[in-house]
């Protein structure tokens, strides 16, 4: 698999010089280096600051939502006040 | 760094599974709040958190496979089994709606006028837009296969063209179906004809939208050189799913649109 990846990288590097400017450059090797760094960070945070921010946002929304569900469940479980 | 003596993938601890379960709780509770208390906030929150979690979970899988190399042949085999089992479960899902359709249409009750289509229902002409939609999906099946061959032959430019064409055909189908829904002389509330028609074709349309989104993600990954000629399971998974969606349409067209008209 690695040889294929490296091979593809070489092919794409060869074609980049003649390819139209709109085509993206092959940055897979950079990503591989970043995510294979031996720093003990789990994959969902390994990309950097954006990962941590997105994680906090998601966790915040979900925890808040879960608490809200339990609250609404309690409200719905109580008998309606009679006049 | 610790090395494993096996070819399987022991994933890093991740918050997405439990948060995904919580998002499902929020979404279902949100539906209950909408139906019974006319409040859509919880549903919106549930759908938003579901979207965030899906994006991050699948992003992590791309990282684990393309960037960290964890998807060995053994792991890939498991993923293949998983996708096949998932598609099979979806086939059973649609089977239920086809059952409902045949239950009502094979023995039309007196309330329907003892006929199918029921009295007062003017069905869509199967030889107009529905036939075009059939041609579109069949053509998209060809283009997605073309894209696959291009990938295995390491022809990046052609693969991008073929996959883009597939996605455009998918959007064209969805747009045409949307106009059909808008122009249809009957609605979902028009008895069992309306129910079976719109629930079956509606869920199909939803699956077309989901598959189109998956195709779009694959296009982005293809453009970023994530796929190699020998290892591109993400693409294969969507190709399988796309063919499945096409086959469901063929069943819908021949039974509900054609036989049922």
């Amino acid at each position: 698999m690695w040889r294929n990846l490296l091979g593809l990288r070489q092919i794409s590097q060869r074609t980049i010089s003649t390819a139209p400017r709109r085509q993206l450059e092959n940055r897979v090797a950079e990503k591989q280096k970043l995510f294979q760094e031996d720093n003990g960070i789990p994959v969902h945070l390994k990309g950097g600051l954006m990962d941590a921010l997105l994680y906090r946002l998601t966790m915040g929304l979900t925890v808040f939502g879960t608490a809200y569900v339990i609250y609404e469940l309690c409200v719905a479980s109580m008998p309606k006040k009679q006049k | 760094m610790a090395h494993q003596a096996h070819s399987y993938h022991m994933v890093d601890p991740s918050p997405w599974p439990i948060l995904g379960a919580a998002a499902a709780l929020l979404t279902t509770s949100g539906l209950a709040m909408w139906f019974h208390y006319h409040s859509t906030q919880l549903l919106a929150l549930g759908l938003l958190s579901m979207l965030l979690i899906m994006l991050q979970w699948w992003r992590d899988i791309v990282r684990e496979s393309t960037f960290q190399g964890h998807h060995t042949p053994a792991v890939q085999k498991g993923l293949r089994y998983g996708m096949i089992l998932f598609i099979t479960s979806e086939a059973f899902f649609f089977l239920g709606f086809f059952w409902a359709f045949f239950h009502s249409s094979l023995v039309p009750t007196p309330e329907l006028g003892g006929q199918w289509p029921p009295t007062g229902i003017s069905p869509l002409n199967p030889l107009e837009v529905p036939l075009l939609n059939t041609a579109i999906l069949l053509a998209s099946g060809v283009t997605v296969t073309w894209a696959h061959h291009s990938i295995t032959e390491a022809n990046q430019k052609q693969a991008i063209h073929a996959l883009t064409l597939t996605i455009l055909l998918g959007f064209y189908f969805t747009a045409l179906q949307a106009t059909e829904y808008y122009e249809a002389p009957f609605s979902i509330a028009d008895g069992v004809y309306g129910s079976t028609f719109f629930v079956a074709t509606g869920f199909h349309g939803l699956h077309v939208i989901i598959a189109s989104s998956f195709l779009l993600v694959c296009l982005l990954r293809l453009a970023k050189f994530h796929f190699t000629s020998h290892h591109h399971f993400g693409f294969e998974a969507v190709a399988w799913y796309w063919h499945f969606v096409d086959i469901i349409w063929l069943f819908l067209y021949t039974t509900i649109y054609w036989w049922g008209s």
Side-chain angles (χ1 to χ4, degrees):
Chain A
M1 196 193 90
W2 294 111
R3 250 178 253 127
N4 286 329
L5 265 171
L6 291 170
L8 191 64
R9 206 184 97 208
Q10 283 179 327
I11 293 168
S12 54
Q13 283 182 343
R14 258 210 304 279
T15 53
I16 289 294
S17 54
T18 52
R21 219 167 282 162
R22 235 190 314 152
Q23 198 173 346
L24 292 168
E25 274 184 31
N26 189 340
R27 296 196 192 279
V28 172
E30 295 166 26
K31 293 284 191 178
Q32 285 169 338
K33 188 158 169 259
L34 170 67
F35 288 104
Q36 288 178 40
E37 210 181 302
D38 194 4
N39 51 25
I41 302 177
V43 72
H44 68 280
L45 296 169
K46 214 166 169 112
L49 179 64
M50 265 312 287
D51 285 7
L53 291 176
L54 258 177
Y55 165 70
R56 282 179 202 208
L57 172 68
T58 311
M59 179 68 91
L61 285 173
T62 314
V63 166
F64 167 74
T66 306
Y68 181 57
V69 164
I70 296 170
Y71 163 74
E72 284 287 356
L73 195 55
C74 291
V75 166
S77 312
M78 294 296 139
K80 262 170 79 172
K81 283 203 179 124
Q82 302 284 336
K83 266 198 184 162
Chain B
M1 186 157 92
H3 287 112
Q4 58 189 48
H6 59 83
S7 56
Y8 296 98
H9 182 197
M10 303 300 287
V11 295
D12 289 342
S14 169
W16 310 131
I18 194 162
L19 290 185
L25 170 69
L26 263 57
T27 308
T28 47
S29 310
L31 279 172
M33 290 295 289
W34 181 36
F35 295 157
H36 298 288
Y37 302 104
H38 300 283
S39 164
T40 52
Q41 293 167 321
L42 192 53
L43 180 57
L45 186 59
L47 290 172
L48 175 63
S49 50
M50 245 174 73
L51 183 65
L52 283 170
I53 287 157
M54 286 194 289
L55 285 173
Q56 291 172 91
W57 194 338
W58 282 321
R59 173 207 70 190
D60 287 351
I61 295 174
V62 170
R63 290 176 176 180
E64 289 160 358
S65 56
T66 308
F67 305 145
Q68 294 181 334
H70 285 295
H71 285 198
T72 61
V75 171
Q76 235 198 88
K77 196 165 166 205
L79 293 171
R80 284 173 194 277
Y81 273 127
M83 193 65 195
I84 287 170
L85 288 170
F86 173 64
I87 291 175
T88 308
S89 77
E90 295 245 87
F92 280 108
F93 178 71
F94 277 99
L95 189 67
F97 296 120
F98 278 105
W99 186 336
F101 169 73
F102 281 116
H103 175 93
S104 298
S105 60
L106 282 168
V107 193
T109 62
E111 289 87 350
L112 303 173
Q115 62 180 42
W116 193 275
T119 315
I121 295 282
S122 36
L124 301 170
N125 187 342
L127 299 176
E128 291 179 3
V129 173
L131 185 59
L132 174 59
N133 273 341
T134 306
I136 289 167
L137 284 186
L138 286 172
S140 70
V142 170
T143 54
V144 80
T145 306
W146 175 27
H148 191 192
H149 282 249
S150 305
I151 289 173
T152 53
E153 289 158 20
N155 192 334
Q156 175 83 341
K157 207 174 88 164
Q158 227 180 67
I160 289 177
H161 287 167
L163 187 47
T164 305
L165 202 47
T166 309
I167 293 167
L168 289 174
L169 288 167
F171 284 169
Y172 190 25
F173 175 92
T174 303
L176 283 170
Q177 270 297 70
T179 59
E180 283 283 273
Y181 270 30
Y182 188 70
E183 302 283 339
F186 54 87
S187 80
I188 196 171
D190 283 322
V192 75
Y193 184 88
S195 303
T196 50
F197 180 87
F198 283 106
V199 170
T201 61
F203 270 119
H204 174 261
L206 178 64
H207 284 72
V208 171
I209 291 167
I210 290 167
S212 299
S213 311
F214 192 174
L215 282 167
L216 196 55
V217 168
C218 277
L219 180 61
L220 290 169
R221 291 190 65 202
L222 176 61
K224 290 180 177 215
F225 303 96
H226 286 197
F227 300 134
T228 73
S229 55
H230 292 296
H231 189 169
H232 44 264
F233 176 66
F235 177 83
E236 286 182 71
V238 73
W240 292 349
Y241 200 67
W242 192 252
H243 287 309
F244 163 71
V245 157
D246 190 2
I247 290 166
I248 293 293
W249 171 259
L250 293 175
F251 276 107
L252 281 174
Y253 180 72
T254 51
T255 57
I256 296 180
Y257 282 92
W258 198 351
W259 176 84
S261 69

